[in-house]
């Protein structure tokens, strides 16, 4: 019973072994991550088009729930840049920013995303995320980083601009350049430059000055806090809010409220597709981070339980004034590097943010939006990776086409169409690559029992025996391809008497492929040619035994290709010496 319960409540597993040393490490990590999250949460709420407190709220209950249901010891859950952008794009289509309906739609989106993730986890459907190829995800994240950075330029310039695509944003920015607020521009550029310097130059400087690794790391992570404090004091001290500098303004001084997502059928229908896309993108980003960090400590991540953990976190956000969340790369790496031992570090972070929500929110009244925008720009530009274009071009032109198309579509048509196109491209790439599987004619390597491609190796062949190694599972997409290939090789007048399909790489044969095999068998029988199978895997053979195909096949099934060679090949063997 305990094992069954621990399967869905990982806290019962790591909680039994929790000790004082783990507590100390988790507490230190929580302090560092909390310092980092306060300005980041405010900034991402701005990106999502929500009040700044929504970012804090989305970082409290979701973290606590993930600590109970999640399996990663280091993953830090909360608002992230890409999901915030997707939220703004989806919710902006059903409600006007700044209205109560906008906030309700964001809650509903979080609730639907959470329910979808939990459902996938309960039915162990985490494998569905594999339909998003890494190149497509990399292309989407790169394009999203560009869109996010561009969308924040209006806050740094102090102008009004709009748009969901890169063309719309740039056009709107150019059209409003005459409205630039010089003071806002100075604050925004100074904050951006300072944050870039902090990220790359502060830690080496402090180490050269004799600071310890921990102090230098904490100071670097606290860089955004320093920018927040400095610019807030400048706005307050010089009365810059009265001179056109946009500020955060009043933020409720309270713990996250109890909220209810919308249940209107029209709203749910409009948000259904965006909720699914956000769930998949968030899960892919989260699980990749969690598995990377877990591998460093030889820990195990359960993808299906991660779905439940992230789903619970999003449901928590929906009922506590937040919006969709997932595991963030930057904060998770900080959490890991700071020494987090268990998910309790996340719980301590949530407590720290709750204290900040109650006691520190009045201090951000004069915080300029330009500083929050600078925080976002510096954070998301690290996501932009154009090297993926060069690497995919060098390795696979089809993957390059998918990456390039995803980037272009996301930038020109918006994030929702971009990510939807990415999913379709991933599936289409898989279907394309498997529609024409690699099939090699093989021969015996002299002095061994091994068979290799006649075009790559010096092998022995028999002109009366054609052996084809199929390097892909057989299913409806490629079944006809195999039919045509065999038909082309056994033309009229050929001396082939036996065709052997070497199935060592075939993991499945679906019904369409079975019908193709039956058609191949019938044609070869009419031509007086035997059809044989070799090295058929157990599960595939079990499935074939439920049909009449093996009884109707005019040849044999051999345990190994060498057995087939010994039974069918003649003493007079040809030599094939084809270069690669």
């Amino acid at each position: 019973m305990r094992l069954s319960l621990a399967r869905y409540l990982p806290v019962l597993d790591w909680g039994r072994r929790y000790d004082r040393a783990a507590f100390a490490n988790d507490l230190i990590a929580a302090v560092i991550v909390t310092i980092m999250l306060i300005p980041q949460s405010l900034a991402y709420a701005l990106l999502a088009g929500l009040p700044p407190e929504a970012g804090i709220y989305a970082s409290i209950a979701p973290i606590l729930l993930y600590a109970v249901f999640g399996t990663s010891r280091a993953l830090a859950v909360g608002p992230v840049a890409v999901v915030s952008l997707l939220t703004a794009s989806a919710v902006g289509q059903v409600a006007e920013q700044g209205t109560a309906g906008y906030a309700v739609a964001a809650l509903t989106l979080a609730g639907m995303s959470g329910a979808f993730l939990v459902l996938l986890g309960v039915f162990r459907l985490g494998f569905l995320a594999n339909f998003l190829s890494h190149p497509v995800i990399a292309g989407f994240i790169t394009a999203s980083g560009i869109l996010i950075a561009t969308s924040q330029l209006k806050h740094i310039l102090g102008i009004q601009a709009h748009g969901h695509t890169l063309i719309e944003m740039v056009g709107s920015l150019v059209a409003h350049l005459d409205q630039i607020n010089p003071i806002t521009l100075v604050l925004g550029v100074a904050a951006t430059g300072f944050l870039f310097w902090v990220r790359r130059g502060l830690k080496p400087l402090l180490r050269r000055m004799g600071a310890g690794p921990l102090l230098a790391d904490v100071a670097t992570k606290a860089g955004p806090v320093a920018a927040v404090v400095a610019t807030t004091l400048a706005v307050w001290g010089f009365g810059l809010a009265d001179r056109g500098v946009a500020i955060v303004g009043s933020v409720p001084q309270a713990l996250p409220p109890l909220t209810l997502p919308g249940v209107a059928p029209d709203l749910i229908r409009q948000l259904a597709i965006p909720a699914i896309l956000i769930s998949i993108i968030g899960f892919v980003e989260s699980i990749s981070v969690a598995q990377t960090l877990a591998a460093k400590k030889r820990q195990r991540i359960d993808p299906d339980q991660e779905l439940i953990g992230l789903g619970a976190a999003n449901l928590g956000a929906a009922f506590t004034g937040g919006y969709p969340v997932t595991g963030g790369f930057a904060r998770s790496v900080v959490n890991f590097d700071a020494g987090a031992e268990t998910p309790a570090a996340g719980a301590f972070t949530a407590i720290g943010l709750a204290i900040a929500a109650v006691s520190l929110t009045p201090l951000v009244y004069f915080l300029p939006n330009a500083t929050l925008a600078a925080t976002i720009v510096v954070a998301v530009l690290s996501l932009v990776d154009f090297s993926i274009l060069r690497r995919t071009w060098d390795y696979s032109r089809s993957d390059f086409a998918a990456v390039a198309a995803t980037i272009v579509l996301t930038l020109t048509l918006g994030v929702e169409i971009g990510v939807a196109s990415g999913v379709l491209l991933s599936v289409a790439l898989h279907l394309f690559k498997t529609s024409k599987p690699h099939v090699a004619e093989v021969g015996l390597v002299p002095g061994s029992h091994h068979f290799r491609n006649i075009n790559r190796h010096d092998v022995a062949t028999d002109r009366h025996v054609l052996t084809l190694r199929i390097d892909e599972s057989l299913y409806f997409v490629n079944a006809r391809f195999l039919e045509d290939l065999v038909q082309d090789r056994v033309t009229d007048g050929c001396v082939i008497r036996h065709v052997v399909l070497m199935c060592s790489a075939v993991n499945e044969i679906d019904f369409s492929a079975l019908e193709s095999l039956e058609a191949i068998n019938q044609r070869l029988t009419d031509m007086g040619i035997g059809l044989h199978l070799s090295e058929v895997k157990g599960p595939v053979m079990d499935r074939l035994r439920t049909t009449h195909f093996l009884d109707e096949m005019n040849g044999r099934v051999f345990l190994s290709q060498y057995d087939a060679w010994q039974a069918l090949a003649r003493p007079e063997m040809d030599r094939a010496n084809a270069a690669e």
Side-chain angles (χ1 to χ4, degrees):
M1 176 64 181
R2 170 173 286 185
L3 288 176
S4 177
L5 196 58
R7 156 72 176 82
Y8 294 101
L9 293 173
V11 65
L12 297 179
D13 179 32
W14 60 263
R16 289 186 294 109
R17 298 187 296 273
Y18 201 66
D19 55 23
R20 184 174 298 179
F23 171 78
N25 290 332
D26 287 343
L27 191 60
I28 293 173
V31 171
I32 295 174
V33 174
T34 301
I35 292 172
M36 174 186 177
L37 275 187
I38 292 174
Q40 197 177 75
S41 297
L42 298 172
Y44 288 151
L46 178 71
L47 175 60
L50 292 164
E53 63 270 17
I56 298 290
Y57 297 161
S59 300
I60 297 178
I63 296 178
L64 291 172
L65 288 167
Y66 180 82
V68 174
F69 293 99
T71 60
S72 173
R73 304 294 180 92
L75 190 69
V77 173
V80 299
V82 173
V83 171
S84 297
L85 178 65
L86 288 168
T87 299
S89 176
V91 177
Q93 296 181 24
V94 300
E96 185 178 350
Q97 187 173 325
T99 64
Y102 191 95
V104 170
L107 296 173
T108 306
L109 190 62
M112 294 175 66
S113 177
F116 180 70
L117 287 167
V118 169
L119 191 65
L120 290 180
V122 169
F123 288 98
R124 297 178 174 272
L125 298 176
F127 68 90
L128 292 176
N130 296 332
F131 285 104
L132 275 174
S133 69
H134 174 71
V136 167
I137 284 290
F140 172 72
I141 291 178
T142 291
S144 297
I146 296 171
L147 287 178
I148 292 169
T150 305
S151 72
Q152 297 309 297
L153 291 179
K154 62 183 179 182
H155 298 295
I156 293 177
L157 298 173
I159 64 178
Q160 296 294 324
H162 61 275
H164 295 289
T165 68
L166 184 63
I167 297 174
E168 292 174 350
M169 291 179 189
V170 172
S172 183
L173 287 170
V174 172
H176 294 85
L177 284 178
D178 58 333
Q179 301 174 3
I180 290 178
N181 183 297
I183 300 175
T184 300
L185 179 60
V186 170
L187 287 173
V189 171
T192 303
F194 172 75
L195 291 174
F196 271 119
W197 174 77
V198 165
R199 174 167 289 202
R200 299 191 178 187
L202 181 58
K203 189 172 183 178
L205 176 63
L206 292 175
R207 292 306 305 274
R208 287 196 300 269
M209 294 173 61
L214 180 60
L215 176 60
D217 192 57
V218 172
T220 301
K221 301 302 185 297
V225 177
V228 166
V229 171
T231 54
T232 301
L233 289 175
V235 172
W236 170 72
F238 296 103
L240 300 182
D242 298 329
R243 300 172 65 179
V245 175
I247 59 174
V248 168
S250 179
V251 177
Q253 190 175 359
L255 292 171
L258 292 177
T259 54
L260 289 175
V263 294
D266 287 344
L267 179 62
I268 293 176
R269 177 180 53 80
Q270 289 175 296
L271 294 178
I273 299 301
I276 293 173
L277 295 177
I278 286 175
S279 300
I280 294 175
I281 290 294
F283 174 65
V284 170
E285 180 178 355
S286 179
I287 196 67
S288 61
V289 174
Q291 290 178 334
T292 299
L293 297 179
K296 294 182 178 181
K297 290 189 175 181
R298 298 188 178 183
Q299 295 169 347
R300 178 179 175 274
I301 298 297
D302 182 347
D304 293 316
Q305 184 59 32
E306 282 298 289
L307 285 166
I308 295 176
L310 290 174
N314 277 279
L315 289 173
F319 289 96
T320 57
Y323 66 97
V325 298
T326 192
F329 176 77
R331 67 169 65 103
S332 297
V333 171
V334 171
N335 196 37
F336 180 86
D337 291 341
E341 293 283 345
T342 72
F348 297 151
T349 299
I351 294 172
L353 291 171
I355 294 173
V358 171
S359 60
L360 300 181
T361 49
L363 301 179
V364 300
Y365 182 90
F366 289 102
L367 172 61
N369 288 342
T371 302
L372 294 180
T375 302
I376 294 174
V377 169
V378 173
V380 301
L381 285 183
S382 63
L383 302 176
V384 178
D385 178 21
F386 284 113
S387 68
I388 189 68
L389 290 170
R390 175 182 53 78
R391 288 184 283 128
T392 52
W393 175 266
D394 293 338
Y395 187 76
S396 170
R397 298 300 167 84
S398 61
D399 283 336
F400 168 81
V403 173
T406 302
I407 291 176
V408 171
L409 290 173
T410 302
L411 292 177
T412 57
L413 299 179
V415 290
E416 289 186 3
I417 294 179
V419 70
S421 301
V423 174
L424 294 177
L425 281 170
S426 296
V427 175
L429 272 177
H430 172 73
L431 295 177
F432 173 76
K433 290 176 180 178
T434 58
S435 64
K436 295 182 178 181
H438 181 260
V439 178
E441 182 177 348
V442 298
L444 178 66
V445 177
S448 76
H449 291 186
H450 299 292
F451 289 78
R452 293 293 184 268
N453 191 333
I454 66 171
N455 294 321
R456 292 179 177 269
H457 301 273
D458 181 11
V459 293
T461 61
D462 183 332
R463 61 196 181 96
H464 298 290
V465 179
L466 171 66
T467 299
L468 300 176
R469 189 190 67 218
I470 306 167
D471 295 335
E472 181 65 68
S473 292
L474 296 175
Y475 68 122
F476 67 96
V477 172
N478 58 31
R480 191 59 186 268
F481 174 81
L482 181 63
E483 276 190 64
D484 295 339
L485 179 67
V486 173
Q487 184 67 31
D488 290 342
R489 292 293 282 110
V490 291
T491 56
D492 291 337
C494 73
V495 297
I496 296 173
R497 297 178 182 175
H498 301 281
V499 172
V500 183
L501 300 182
M502 185 175 174
C503 301
S504 55
V506 177
N507 295 316
E508 184 179 4
I509 298 176
D510 75 356
F511 191 78
S512 297
L514 174 66
E515 291 185 327
S516 289
L517 289 177
E518 292 173 342
I520 291 171
N521 180 65
Q522 184 60 50
R523 290 173 186 170
L524 294 181
T525 300
D526 293 342
M527 299 174 68
I529 300 173
L531 174 65
H532 311 270
L533 305 179
S534 72
E535 302 191 9
V536 182
K537 293 184 177 180
V540 177
M541 182 60 80
D542 292 341
R543 184 70 62 86
L544 291 178
R545 287 195 179 105
T546 65
T547 71
H548 297 292
F549 173 69
L550 296 178
D551 297 328
E552 297 172 354
M553 191 174 70
N554 65 5
R556 298 168 53 187
V557 178
F558 295 95
L559 182 63
S560 71
Q561 179 57 34
Y562 187 74
D563 291 342
W565 174 264
Q566 286 187 311
L568 304 175
R570 293 188 169 193
E572 315 86 42
M573 296 183 297
D574 302 321
R575 301 287 293 178
N577 295 291
E580 180 177 346

